[in-house]
Amino acid sequence: MKTLLNPRWLIFINTIPIVILFSLFLGTYEVIESLLSEKNLEVWFNFAGALGLLWFATLSYCVYSIIKNRKIEVLYGLLTLLTYIPLTYLYWVFGNDLIPWDVPRWMLPEDFQLYPPTFLMPTLAHGLFVLMINLTKENQKPWISFGIAILIPVCWYVFLMILLPMWQPLDYRFSHHVISILLIAGTVVFLFFLGRGVYIIFQNRKSHFLENPVVALTVKVVIGLVLPVLGLHVNEYYFDHQFFGDFSSFWFFAIAAVNGILICIPEPENKNVRLILFLLRGVTFSYVIYFFFVFLPYLPLSVIAIIAIGAGFLMLTPIVLFILQCQTLNDDMKFLFQHFSKKIVVAGFAIALSVLPLILTAVYYSDRIALYTALDHVYEGNLEQDDEQVSSQSLRRVLGAVEQHRSRSNNARQIPFLSSYYNWLVLDNLTLSQDKTKLLEKIFYGNVKSDEPTQDRDGVTVTGFDLQKVSVSSTFDTEQQAWISQIDFEIKNKNLFIAEFATTFNLPQGAWINDYYLTIEGEKVPGILAEKKAATWIYQQIRDYRRDPGIMYYLEGNKIAFRIFPFAGSQIRTAGLQIIHKGQIEFDFFGKHIVAGNNSSGETLKEIYSPDENTMYVPKNVKAYLPEIRRSPEYHFIVDCSKASEQQITSYTDRIKKYLTENKISATNANYVLTNSITKQVDDIADVSDLKEAISFEGGFFLERAIEKILYDAYYHPKPNYPVIVVVTDYWNDAIVTKGFADLSIALPESDLFFQLNNDSLIAHSLIKDPLQPYKGETVNYPVVAWPDKTRPQRYLRKNEEASIFTIANNKNDLVKSSKQGDWNSALALQGDWLNHKLHPENTDEDWLALVKASFKAHTMTPVTSFITVENEAQRQALLKKQEQVLNADNSLDIGNESRMSEPGFFLVLGLFLIALLVRKKIL
Amino acid sequence: MRSQILLTIKFFSEQDTINVLFIACVLTLGIILKFLFSAAATEDLLFVLSPVNSLVEVFTSSHSEYLIDEGYLYADLNVVIDKSCAGINFLILCFCITTFSVAQYYKQSVQWILIPVCFVLAYVLTIGVNSCRIISAITLLNAQENFPWITSPWVHEAQGSIFYLTFLIGTFLLIKFIHRKPALKNEDSA
C-alpha cells in the first residue's frame, strides 16, 4: 500500500486522466460552443481554468517530489480533497450552466455527465489513501476505525429521521448546500475510517487475528466469494440492471465464483503449484480491475446507500476485493521471486492479465465477422455468383448480443465500458437498427412475424400546403452545352398548426440537382451537400427539437424526397433548387407542372459518353431514330424454398407445370430460381427430391435477391427474349422485398411488372412502387428499340419521350479526381457509377466512399448524398461529426482510392520508444 | 543511480543536471506543438511536406501534383502525401528526445539555447526520416500484387513505427556516443 506514496503514481492517477477529461470536454465544447451564452462560456472557462490550475499544480508537485526523491506527504492528500471535492461539487451545482437545457442532448456524447466523476475519482480516492496511510500509526486498533465508520451512517440516519424534519431554515438553497456539504464531508470521513480499518488489518496481519487460518479464510470467503456473488444477485433481482449496468450474463457470476475460490485456496508450498495459482489469479484479476473502475464513480454514494437500504457495503465490495486481491498477488509474487526469475513471473502475470480481455475481444470479433458476413450477403451480395450459405447459428447469437448492447431506453443500462467497446469493435460505433435486425432474422430464420405495414414517411406527400408561386429561370452554359435552371418555390402552410412539408417528385433522366437553399428567418441559407445517412440522421434529430432543417434526397430511381420543417400555421416559406440538364425538362412538383430550358439548345442528336467512358447517354432524339423491335418472353419462375414452404413444394411444381401446359410455353423458355435466404438456379423441377437436394428448406423467402439476380442477368446479357418474372409461393406476405427496383428498371424495358402465380392465374405487381402490393393499373408492354442497331444490339431501350442512361463499362477510374463542380458530364459519370454500384453491391466497400467524395467534388446530389440546410453552426458541426463517423465506418473505406502515406500514431511510437529505453535500462 | 527526473526524462539522463523549469518548458512546447499541428490544415504544414515531397519525387522518379486541401497526389503511383503524412509526430518526439538527451551534458545556462538548436536538428531529421519512410512504403506497395496483405493498414503502421523507432533510438544513441566520457587513457595521462 505504501507504494501509493510514490509520486510517480500521480502521473497515472491525476495527470493522464485529466488530460483525457480535457480532450473529451474539448470535443463536446467545439460542437456546442455556438449555442452557449456569455454566462455559460464564463462558467466553461472558469471550470477549465480551475481544473487546468489544479492539474498543473499536481504535476509540478509530482515533478518536484520525484526530483527531490520525496514521498507524497499528508498535506497533498488534504489539499487534494479540499480542492477536487469542491470542484466536483460545483460541477454538479453549475451543471445547468455548463450544458444549458436548450442544448439538444443528442449533440452530447453518451454518459457525458459521468465523465468528471469517472476521471477525477482516482485522484480523490488516492488523496484519501495518502491521508489514510500517513495518519495511521503502527499497532493501532482497527475496531476504533470501523466503529467510527459505522457511527457515521447511524448519525446520518438519526439526523435525517429526527433532526431534519424539525429544521426550518430561512432559505431552502442554504439547507440544500449545507446538507450536500455535510453529506460529502460525512462520506469522506466514513471512507477514511473504513479504509483505515481495512488498512490496519492488512498492515498488522502478521501478528493479527488474520493469521488464524479459519478467520483469514472466513474473511476471504466473505469478501472474495459471498459479497461479489450477492452483489451481482442484488443488482439483477432488486435493481433490475437499472442502476449500475446489466451484469446478468452467466459469465459474470461464473468468473466471480471462480475468482472467489481462487482467492480462498490456501497458499501451497510447492513452487510450481503456487505459480499456477498465481497465474490463474492473474487471469481473473482483470475482472476485478473492471469492477473496481465500474464502481469507483459510485464510491461517494455508498454512504447514502448504506443509510437508505444497507446495500452500500455491496457497492464497496469491488474496491475492497481489489485491495484484497492486490495484497494476495503481492504475496504470491514475493514467494515466486524466490524461486523463479523475476522476468518470468512478471511476464507470466502480464499474459495472464490479458487472457480475459483477449478472449472477450476474440468473441466480439467473431461476432463482427458473423454479422458482417450476414450484412454483406443481404446488402452487398454478389449478383453474378451463386450465394453461399451463411451460418445461422452464429448469427442468432450475434443478433442476441447486439440487442443486449443496444441502448433501448434511458432507464435500461448497458454493460458499462463493455457495451461501448462492443459498439466500437462490432458496430463501428453505429447502431444496427431494429428494422435491420428484424430483416436479418426474417431472412435467415424466416420465423419472424411480419409487422403491420408502417406508413413510409419517405414517400409521403402531405396535404394542407399550397405551392403559391414557382419561378423558373434557365440559362444555357455554352461551355458545357447544358442548361442551368434555378427553380424557386413559395410554399404556404394552410393549416393553423405547425406542420412538416413533405413531397416527392420525379426528376427526368439526364437532370441533376447541384444546388439548394432554404430561407430561414429572412436569410437564404445554402444547402450543405452531405453524406445521405448522416444528413437524414441529423434532420431527424433537429426535427425532433423543432428547429429549422430542410432536406432533399433520392428515394429510388429518379424519385426525390423534399422536406422542410417546421412550418408555423399560415406561414409562407421559400426554397429553391438548381438543376443542370441537357435539353428541355418537364416534371410535376406538388401538383404544378414545371418546364425548364428548351430544346433549341442543349439536346444533341448523338449519344454522349461520360468523361470516364463508363456511361452512355442516349437522348430521346436519338432513340426516335433507332429501330423498334419486339422480343418474345422468357419465363423465370422464382420458387419459394423457405422453411415454411417445405411441405408445399410439390404443390408449387405442379402449379408451374400446369401453367406451362395451359399457356403452351416451351420448357426451353422457362427458368427456375429456388429461393430462401440464398438463391439457386436449376434447369428442371420435374423431380422434387432433386430440388430438396439442391437447396435445404430453411430461412425466409428473400424474393428481393432473386429478382435482383434476374434483372442483373437481363442487364448484362441482353437477349432476343425479355424476362417475365413469376413468383410461386403460398406465403406471399412473408416474402422479403425491402425496396423497389427502380434503379435497375433499365434492365427490363418492356415492362415494370412481375407476377405472382396464384393457382391458375397471374397477379401483377409493380417492380417500381410497393412491389408486394398487387398492381392495380393497366398491364402495358412498352415498345423497345435496339441500340446501336438491330443486327448487333448491345442494349434494348424503352421507346419513350425520355433519354436513357446506361453503363457500357465498369472501369475503375479516379472519379473524385475527374469530377468538376457543377459539370453535367461529371454528373453523368456519377449516375453511371451509381448504376454500377447497384449492379455490383459486392464492391460497395471500394466504390461507395469514392462515390460520396466525387459527389461532393461535383457538388451534385446523387443517391448517396443529400442536400440539407441547418439553422446554426452547432448543427453544422454535429452534421460534420456524424458524417465523419459514417465515412469512417469501415476501415477499408479509410483508404479511399489512393494509398495515404500516413505516419504511425504518436503514442504508439512514444510507447515503443519508452519500452526500448526501459529494456536498455534493464528495468524490463 | 541518482537521476530522478520525471518519468520518461529519467531514462535519458545519466547526470542530474536538468532543471525542472527546463523540463516543463520543453514538455509544454511539445504539447503545444502537438495541439497546434493537430488543428493545422495541409497548407499550414507545407514547410515539412514540401521538402519531403521533393525528396520522394527524386527517389521515385515520379511527379506529383499539388491539390488544395488534398496534398501531393502521385497519380502514377496512386499515392497521396497529405497532412497525415507530414511527420509531425516524429518532429515532436525527436525534438523532445534530442533536447533532453543533449541538455544533460551542458550547463543550465546553455540548455535554453539548445531548444531552438534541437528543433532545427529535429526538423532536418524529420525531413530525412519521413522521406525514407514514404519511399520504402511506396516500394512495399509495388509488391501488393503478390502479397495483397501489404496494403493493409497495420502493415503500413508497423513499417512506419519500425522506421521511426529505429531512427529515434539511433539518434538517442548517437548523442550518447558523441558525448561519451573521455577514454581512461587520456584521464590517466592527464
Side-chain angles (χ1 to χ4, degrees):
Chain A
M1 287 282 271
K2 284 194 174 167
T3 53
L4 285 170
L5 296 182
N6 187 329
R8 287 176 182 82
W9 277 105
L10 292 178
I11 305 274
F12 302 101
I13 286 168
N14 181 280
T15 310
I16 294 171
I18 292 182
V19 167
I20 297 170
L21 183 64
F22 252 112
S23 62
L24 290 170
F25 267 100
L26 195 68
T28 310
Y29 176 77
E30 279 172 0
V31 172
I32 65 166
E33 185 190 358
S34 55
L35 294 178
L36 299 174
S37 66
E38 267 186 35
K39 188 191 164 202
N40 302 141
L41 288 172
E42 197 184 323
V43 177
W44 269 88
F45 289 131
N46 286 343
F47 267 95
L51 189 61
L53 205 67
L54 285 178
W55 176 81
F56 186 74
T58 313
L59 183 63
S60 306
Y61 175 69
C62 165
V63 174
Y64 173 79
S65 303
I66 292 171
I67 293 169
K68 294 290 177 189
N69 202 11
R70 293 170 75 155
K71 288 188 172 179
I72 299 174
E73 289 161 8
V74 67
L75 191 62
Y76 163 81
L78 198 64
L79 286 175
T80 300
L81 293 180
L82 288 177
T83 49
Y84 281 92
I85 288 177
L87 188 78
T88 317
Y89 175 63
L90 289 173
Y91 169 76
W92 289 112
V93 174
F94 287 97
N96 288 345
D97 289 319
L98 278 169
I99 310 288
W101 286 114
D102 56 348
V103 171
R105 262 40 195 174
W106 58 265
M107 287 188 175
L108 307 172
E110 267 182 66
D111 297 334
F112 179 78
Q113 302 292 337
L114 281 177
Y115 283 171
T118 304
F119 289 99
L120 295 181
M121 205 50 74
T123 300
L124 290 171
H126 179 249
L128 204 64
F129 275 126
V130 169
L131 276 184
M132 217 168 68
I133 296 164
N134 277 308
L135 297 178
T136 307
K137 290 175 191 161
E138 278 187 21
N139 300 323
Q140 271 187 318
K141 297 268 181 278
W143 306 117
I144 298 168
S145 295
F146 281 131
I148 298 171
I150 292 167
L151 215 59
I152 290 164
V154 173
C155 288
W156 265 106
Y157 188 79
V158 172
F159 176 73
L160 291 172
M161 290 294 144
I162 301 165
L163 296 179
L164 195 65
M166 293 191 287
W167 189 17
Q168 298 292 332
L170 291 174
D171 185 357
Y172 76 95
R173 279 174 298 188
F174 177 76
S175 71
H176 176 81
H177 284 296
V178 167
I179 290 173
S180 302
I181 290 163
L182 283 176
L183 189 66
I184 292 170
T187 307
V188 171
V189 175
F190 165 77
L191 292 171
F192 172 79
F193 282 106
L194 187 72
R196 195 163 85 148
V198 175
Y199 175 64
I200 292 168
I201 287 176
F202 282 108
Q203 196 191 29
N204 300 339
R205 67 206 166 102
K206 289 278 183 294
S207 58
H208 210 272
F209 68 97
L210 276 179
E211 278 300 287
N212 180 336
V214 179
V215 178
L217 185 66
T218 312
V219 169
K220 283 182 174 180
V221 167
V222 171
I223 296 174
L225 193 63
V226 178
L227 290 180
V229 175
L230 187 68
L232 288 170
H233 177 80
V234 168
N235 183 58
E236 188 178 353
Y237 292 99
Y238 294 96
F239 293 128
D240 196 21
H241 335 125
Q242 299 288 308
F243 198 69
F244 300 110
D246 183 359
F247 304 117
S248 57
S249 163
F250 160 77
W251 291 105
F252 281 113
F253 285 87
I255 301 173
V258 171
N259 184 59
I261 292 165
L262 288 172
I263 285 183
C264 296
I265 293 173
E267 273 67 30
E269 286 307 314
N270 182 308
K271 61 175 186 174
N272 291 325
V273 178
R274 184 76 180 260
L275 181 66
I276 292 167
L277 183 65
F278 168 71
L279 293 178
L280 288 173
R281 282 172 176 169
V283 170
T284 52
F285 188 49
S286 54
Y287 173 85
V288 176
I289 296 173
Y290 168 74
F291 273 98
F292 175 74
F293 279 106
V294 167
F295 278 82
L296 205 55
Y298 300 109
L299 195 63
L301 296 179
S302 55
V303 177
I304 303 168
I306 290 168
I307 300 162
I309 41 177
F313 280 108
L314 289 173
M315 286 166 65
L316 292 174
T317 305
I319 292 148
V320 178
L321 178 62
F322 177 76
I323 298 169
L324 175 71
Q325 194 137 340
C326 282
Q327 194 67 51
T328 314
L329 289 168
N330 193 32
D331 290 348
D332 286 343
M333 273 194 181
K334 277 182 189 164
F335 174 84
L336 293 168
F337 283 164
Q338 294 166 8
H339 300 91
F340 297 96
S341 142
K342 259 189 178 182
K343 279 181 188 171
I344 289 176
V345 176
V346 173
F349 179 68
I351 292 167
L353 199 63
S354 58
V355 166
L356 281 182
L358 284 177
I359 291 175
L360 194 77
T361 306
V363 170
Y364 284 1
Y365 202 78
S366 72
D367 278 7
R368 183 189 168 91
I369 292 170
L371 179 67
Y372 276 65
T373 310
L375 286 173
D376 281 353
H377 174 72
V378 175
Y379 295 101
E380 298 176 14
N382 191 323
L383 299 179
E384 191 172 14
Q385 292 171 2
D386 279 342
D387 293 327
E388 279 174 28
Q389 198 76 44
V390 175
S391 158
S392 58
Q393 283 301 322
S394 54
L395 182 66
R396 192 184 284 273
R397 193 171 48 78
V398 177
L399 292 178
V402 167
E403 193 58 38
Q404 191 194 359
H405 289 279
R406 188 202 304 280
S407 289
R408 283 158 293 200
S409 68
N410 292 332
N411 296 330
R413 289 296 306 262
Q414 301 164 279
I415 306 173
F417 303 126
L418 295 185
S419 289
S420 302
Y421 183 51
Y422 190 90
N423 286 333
W424 172 76
L425 188 67
V426 180
L427 302 171
D428 290 325
N429 272 339
L430 299 173
T431 52
L432 188 67
S433 68
Q434 277 192 330
D435 286 348
K436 272 190 181 170
T437 316
K438 275 189 179 168
L439 179 66
L440 291 179
E441 285 180 1
K442 209 172 167 188
I443 290 172
F444 293 103
Y445 311 126
N447 52 0
V448 179
K449 285 205 166 172
S450 299
D451 293 335
E452 286 295 308
T454 50
Q455 200 181 6
D456 181 10
R457 282 187 60 81
D458 277 348
V460 161
T461 293
V462 293
T463 53
F465 284 85
D466 186 22
L467 183 57
Q468 293 202 319
K469 198 174 150 193
V470 179
S471 62
V472 182
S473 70
S474 300
T475 49
F476 188 72
D477 185 345
T478 47
E479 197 181 325
Q480 55 169 322
Q481 290 289 304
W483 287 96
I484 298 168
S485 297
Q486 177 66 39
I487 305 172
D488 301 300
F489 308 106
E490 211 173 274
I491 305 158
K492 184 182 179 184
N493 179 10
K494 291 192 289 182
N495 302 302
L496 295 172
F497 46 85
I498 285 184
E500 179 186 26
F501 174 76
T503 188
T504 59
F505 61 96
N506 281 301
L507 211 55
Q509 285 283 18
W512 293 281
I513 296 169
N514 60 2
D515 215 350
Y516 162 71
Y517 78 87
L518 175 68
T519 305
I520 299 173
E521 290 172 0
E523 196 188 332
K524 254 189 187 182
V525 178
I528 304 166
L529 190 61
E531 194 280 328
K532 187 175 163 184
K533 269 188 275 181
T536 43
W537 182 83
I538 288 289
Y539 179 83
Q540 198 57 46
Q541 301 295 335
I542 301 172
R543 208 184 69 89
D544 292 347
Y545 273 82
R546 304 198 157 213
R547 291 301 171 89
D548 270 356
I551 194 168
M552 189 182 286
Y553 54 91
Y554 277 92
L555 288 169
E556 281 165 355
N558 278 351
K559 192 175 181 184
I560 289 166
F562 180 39
R563 296 158 76 179
I564 303 172
F565 183 85
F567 266 77
S570 306
Q571 191 190 2
I572 298 173
R573 302 192 67 169
T574 55
L577 51 98
Q578 185 177 290
I579 300 176
I580 187 162
H581 52 104
K582 271 284 170 192
Q584 177 178 297
I585 53 165
E586 297 178 38
F587 62 97
D588 292 323
F589 183 88
F590 207 65
K592 286 231 161 71
H593 190 67
I594 294 171
V595 180
N598 62 54
N599 279 333
S600 62
S601 320
E603 194 66 284
T604 58
L605 279 171
K606 60 178 181 183
E607 298 94 334
I608 299 172
Y609 286 88
S610 65
D612 59 1
E613 300 194 337
N614 275 348
T615 315
M616 172 68 73
Y617 173 80
V618 184
K620 60 183 179 188
N621 301 345
V622 176
K623 277 162 71 173
Y625 291 106
L626 291 174
E628 189 175 326
I629 62 162
R630 188 166 289 276
R631 298 195 290 172
S632 55
E634 182 182 32
Y635 289 83
H636 293 261
F637 291 95
I638 300 175
V639 186
D640 179 4
C641 293
S642 63
K643 191 166 73 179
S645 286
E646 190 163 8
Q647 304 304 322
Q648 271 80 12
I649 187 69
T650 318
S651 142
Y652 294 166
T653 51
D654 290 346
R655 212 180 295 172
I656 295 170
K657 284 175 205 162
K658 189 177 167 199
Y659 181 78
L660 291 175
T661 319
E662 282 179 359
N663 292 282
K664 296 184 180 106
I665 299 167
S666 140
T668 52
N669 261 346
N671 299 296
Y672 308 97
V673 186
L674 308 181
T675 304
N676 49 37
S677 63
I678 61 168
T679 61
K680 204 142 222 173
Q681 195 145 5
V682 290
D683 300 327
D684 192 17
I685 52 161
D687 192 347
V688 171
S689 60
D690 283 351
L691 300 186
K692 287 190 174 176
E693 213 164 274
I695 194 163
S696 53
F697 284 72
E698 57 182 27
F701 181 35
F702 195 14
L703 175 60
E704 180 178 309
R705 174 56 42 83
I707 295 177
E708 279 176 340
K709 285 203 166 193
I710 294 166
L711 293 178
Y712 175 92
D713 188 56
Y715 184 81
Y716 278 110
H717 309 106
K719 290 189 280 196
N721 306 319
Y722 71 92
V724 175
I725 300 169
V726 182
V727 183
V728 191
T729 179
D730 281 346
Y731 301 95
W732 184 260
N733 289 337
D734 290 334
I736 302 163
V737 178
T738 59
K739 56 182 189 281
F741 302 90
D743 289 313
L744 300 177
S745 61
I746 185 84
L748 196 51
E750 274 88 354
S751 171
D752 287 333
L753 302 176
F754 70 108
F755 304 91
Q756 178 193 355
L757 181 57
N758 189 15
N759 293 326
D760 303 333
S761 59
L762 291 180
I763 301 169
H765 292 261
S766 168
L767 283 166
I768 309 294
K769 192 171 183 278
D770 300 331
L772 290 177
Q773 302 302 320
Y775 178 69
K776 300 216 170 76
E778 206 179 323
T779 310
V780 188
N781 254 26
Y782 296 98
V784 295
V785 292
W787 180 89
D789 54 48
K790 211 171 184 173
T791 49
R792 276 178 304 169
Q794 288 180 27
R795 176 120 350 257
Y796 298 97
L797 305 172
R798 185 173 294 178
K799 191 173 185 180
N800 57 8
E801 286 300 303
E802 273 205 10
S804 289
I805 295 172
F806 53 89
T807 56
I808 45 175
N810 189 12
N811 299 321
K812 297 287 171 200
N813 296 307
D814 190 348
L815 201 61
V816 183
K817 200 180 161 195
S818 60
S819 294
K820 292 178 196 155
Q821 184 162 350
D823 180 41
W824 187 90
N825 287 307
S826 300
L828 175 65
L830 282 172
Q831 173 88 20
D833 212 53
W834 168 248
L835 186 55
N836 272 330
H837 166 72
K838 289 300 287 183
L839 290 161
H840 295 278
E842 73 277 11
N843 295 335
T844 297
D845 284 355
E846 297 107 67
D847 297 343
W848 175 76
L849 188 62
L851 198 54
V852 175
K853 283 185 172 176
S855 174
F856 288 169
K857 180 110 183 276
H859 207 258
T860 301
M861 190 171 92
T862 64
V864 292
T865 52
S866 165
F867 268 118
I868 182 167
T869 49
V870 289
E871 185 194 21
N872 55 35
E873 181 58 22
Q875 292 170 358
R876 204 177 74 85
Q877 287 292 337
L879 169 67
L880 295 177
K881 209 163 188 174
K882 189 71 190 173
Q883 179 162 289
E884 192 184 319
Q885 209 176 37
V886 172
L887 293 179
N888 291 331
D890 191 326
N891 278 338
S892 58
L893 299 179
D894 279 341
I895 305 159
N897 284 336
E898 306 91 11
S899 302
R900 274 184 160 64
M901 297 288 112
S902 313
E903 61 177 336
F906 181 82
F907 292 104
L908 174 70
V909 180
L910 178 64
L912 290 171
F913 184 75
L914 290 179
I915 289 170
L917 282 180
L918 285 167
V919 171
R920 184 174 176 268
K921 292 267 172 183
K922 296 184 179 159
I923 292 170
L924 280 183
Chain B
M1 191 67 178
R2 289 182 300 110
S3 56
Q4 292 294 332
I5 313 293
L6 167 70
L7 194 71
T8 60
I9 316 309
K10 170 184 173 213
F11 304 114
F12 297 101
S13 63
E14 300 295 340
Q15 298 153 39
D16 192 2
T17 52
I18 306 182
N19 69 64
V20 182
L21 192 62
F22 179 78
I23 295 165
C25 276
V26 175
L27 278 182
T28 312
L29 206 64
I31 293 168
I32 290 172
L33 284 174
K34 177 74 186 150
F35 275 103
L36 218 81
F37 290 136
S38 301
T42 303
E43 279 69 36
D44 303 324
L45 300 177
L46 284 180
F47 75 100
V48 223
L49 278 174
S50 178
V52 168
N53 176 61
S54 306
L55 282 172
V56 173
E57 276 189 335
V58 170
F59 278 92
T60 57
S61 308
S62 21
H63 178 68
S64 70
E65 192 186 341
Y66 181 71
L67 305 174
I68 297 168
D69 293 336
E70 290 281 332
Y72 293 96
L73 174 75
Y74 287 78
D76 50 343
L77 301 171
N78 213 22
V79 159
V80 168
I81 300 179
D82 66 357
K83 178 192 161 185
S84 66
C85 333
I88 293 304
N89 290 345
F90 185 85
L91 177 67
I92 295 167
L93 282 171
C94 190
F95 164 63
C96 291
I97 289 166
T98 46
T99 312
F100 290 136
S101 309
V102 174
Q104 60 182 303
Y105 299 105
Y106 297 90
K107 286 179 193 167
Q108 291 197 357
S109 54
V110 185
Q111 283 175 358
W112 296 101
I113 304 164
L114 289 173
I115 293 179
V117 174
C118 288
F119 188 82
V120 174
L121 180 72
Y123 172 73
V124 176
L125 271 170
T126 302
I127 305 292
V129 174
N130 201 26
S131 304
C132 290
R133 180 183 69 81
I134 294 173
I135 292 160
S136 74
I138 292 171
T139 315
L140 272 182
L141 279 181
N142 292 336
Q144 63 178 295
E145 271 190 25
N146 297 328
F147 309 100
W149 48 267
I150 265 181
T151 53
S152 53
W154 71 265
V155 174
H156 185 69
E157 184 97 1
Q159 178 260 347
S161 303
I162 291 166
F163 254 83
Y164 275 14
L165 205 60
T166 312
F167 280 98
L168 283 176
I169 293 172
T171 310
F172 175 71
L173 293 176
L174 189 70
I175 290 169
K176 293 258 172 225
F177 179 76
I178 293 169
H179 292 91
R180 71 191 186 283
K181 285 176 186 167
L184 283 174
K185 202 175 166 185
N186 294 342
E187 277 178 13
D188 292 345
S189 63

